């Protein structure tokens, strides 16, 4: 005869061991470390890309009209200037003397050894007048012939009558290290997307 009064025995609950708690903490620490490493690698990759490969830069001002418009975003590449020198007529991002890391966008018109002059609204390089189809705003100044020094570049804005560039006191010729990257295209706004030449 079954004994209905017999008690049901509760299963014995095992308390988690100190080892299991320690393993759980190690697992959490490992996961946090993995996330930190992912963030560090991503930041390092972004830094390397911006420093050596390409960077988006916003146009600030009207000194490159009509080639570039105020507030457009350009894509500039940097890798080609790691191994090769800038070329005449490249549109570049550059830094000015005593202006820190401020980016300026200009066009190289004189490379080392060139002579550069401006007379009656026309650019002269090595004594020859240059036909510049991209110039809408001709210079309202004359600039006497000047030799571009070794390791330096003469830059002008395409809006020649309204640009603070190598013809202006306080800027002058830029050293090779002040030429940062080459402007490739306008990426924003999308409606204005185009290659820059």
């Amino acid at each position: 005869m079954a004994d209905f009064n017999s008690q049901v025995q509760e299963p014995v609950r095992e308390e988690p061991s100190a080892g299991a708690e320690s393993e759980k903490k190690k697992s959490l620490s490992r996961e946090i470390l993995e996330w930190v490493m992912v963030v560090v690698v991503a930041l390092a990759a972004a830094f390397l890309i911006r420093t050596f490969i390409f960077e988006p830069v916003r146009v600030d001002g009207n000194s490159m009209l009509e080639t570039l418009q105020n507030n457009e975003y350009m894509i500039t590449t940097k890798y080609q200037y790691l191994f090769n020198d800038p070329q005449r007529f490249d549109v570049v991002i550059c830094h000015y003397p005593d202006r820190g890391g401020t980016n300026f966008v200009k066009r190289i018109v004189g490379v080392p050894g060139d002579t550069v002059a401006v007379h009656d609204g026309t650019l002269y390089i090595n004594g020859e007048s240059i036909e510049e189809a991209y110039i809408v705003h001709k210079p309202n100044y004359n600039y006497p012939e000047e030799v571009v020094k070794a390791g330096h570049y003469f830059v002008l804005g395409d809006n020649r009558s309204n640009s603070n560039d190598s013809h202006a006191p306080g800027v002058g010729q830029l050293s090779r290290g002040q030429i940062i990257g080459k402007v490739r295209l306008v990426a924003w706004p999308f409606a204005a997307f185009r290659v820059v030449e």
Side-chain angles (χ1 to χ4, degrees):
M1 189 177 208
D3 183 2
F4 292 103
N5 295 323
S6 62
Q7 293 183 343
V8 177
Q9 207 170 19
E10 290 283 331
V12 179
R13 291 186 183 174
E14 292 184 19
E15 291 296 320
S17 68
E21 277 297 322
S22 173
E23 197 59 41
K24 191 186 279 187
K25 283 182 182 173
K26 279 185 190 173
S27 176
L28 180 61
S29 297
R30 192 175 302 120
E31 193 170 331
I32 290 170
L33 180 61
E34 286 173 2
W35 276 106
V36 168
M37 289 303 294
V38 166
V39 170
V40 168
V41 168
L43 290 174
F47 172 77
L48 290 172
I49 288 169
R50 285 178 67 103
T51 303
F52 298 112
I53 302 176
F54 74 90
E55 179 180 4
V57 178
R58 184 177 67 86
V59 179
D60 185 10
N62 297 314
S63 72
M64 283 297 288
L65 292 176
E66 295 297 317
T67 303
L68 298 167
Q69 306 293 321
N70 187 41
N71 288 324
E72 288 182 328
Y73 277 85
M74 312 165 287
I75 298 297
T76 63
T77 57
K78 300 180 177 184
Y79 55 85
Q80 72 278 357
Y81 291 162
L82 294 174
F83 308 106
N84 299 297
D85 288 327
Q87 300 297 304
R88 191 185 296 118
F89 304 122
D90 283 358
V91 177
V92 299
I93 297 299
C94 50
H95 293 165
Y96 283 0
D98 304 319
R99 297 294 292 271
T102 302
N103 288 326
F104 295 87
V105 58
K106 303 296 172 191
R107 186 182 297 272
I108 293 175
V109 298
V111 298
D114 281 348
T115 61
V116 176
V118 176
H119 295 297
D120 300 323
T122 300
L123 172 68
Y124 288 81
I125 298 175
N126 301 323
E128 294 188 15
S129 63
I130 304 299
E131 186 68 40
E132 298 179 282
Y134 46 82
I135 296 296
V136 175
H137 310 283
K138 290 189 174 284
N140 55 5
Y141 58 84
N142 289 322
Y143 192 83
E145 187 173 80
E146 179 178 308
V147 178
V148 182
K149 299 179 288 189
H152 286 72
Y153 296 84
F154 199 97
V155 300
L156 294 176
D158 285 357
N159 184 356
R160 296 283 160 83
S161 60
N162 185 22
S163 177
N164 184 31
D165 48 36
S166 288
H167 92 280
V171 179
Q173 298 178 24
L174 302 183
S175 70
R176 173 67 180 81
Q178 291 171 306
I179 308 297
I180 306 304
K182 182 175 181 179
V183 177
R184 294 292 187 173
L185 53 87
V186 172
W188 181 264
F190 289 137
F193 183 92
R194 63 191 182 279
V195 173
V196 174
E197 295 178 8

